[in-house]
Amino acid sequence: MSLNLDDYVCEFCGKPCKNIVYAAFVCDDVECLEKARIARGGPGGHMKRKAEGRPIIPGELEPMVEESKKV
């Protein structure tokens, strides 16, 4: 099964999707590519979050991590 990028839009501007970069659907605009990099934490950003004991996906389950640190 292949992924048809024409079925998706850029997560940052809404233009037609042309690429998947840093786990985000993005167009060819350099600004959107940079926004995807920043949202992901750059190369290795997910591993840095994992080493800190935080979720790999930014914003996912953050409150639960904070709750577990209080106990």
Side-chain angles (χ1 to χ4, degrees):
M1 186 169 131
S2 63
L3 184 65
N4 185 2
L5 294 179
D6 294 331
D7 294 340
Y8 299 90
V9 296
C10 178
E11 295 179 19
F12 302 98
C13 71
K15 292 180 189 173
C17 175
K18 299 293 181 188
N19 301 297
I20 299 175
V21 180
Y22 297 110
F25 293 105
V26 295
C27 62
D28 286 334
D29 189 352
V30 175
E31 290 180 17
C32 293
L33 295 170
E34 181 65 14
K35 288 177 185 178
R37 183 187 70 78
I38 291 169
R40 178 65 184 239
H46 64 293
M47 294 307 292
K48 180 181 177 212
R49 284 191 295 278
K50 183 177 180 181
E52 293 171 347
R54 296 171 38 211
I56 291 176
I57 300 171
E60 184 176 284
L61 305 175
E62 288 285 346
M64 292 179 70
V65 171
E66 295 302 318
E67 291 287 326
S68 66
K69 289 181 180 179
K70 292 179 182 176
V71 176

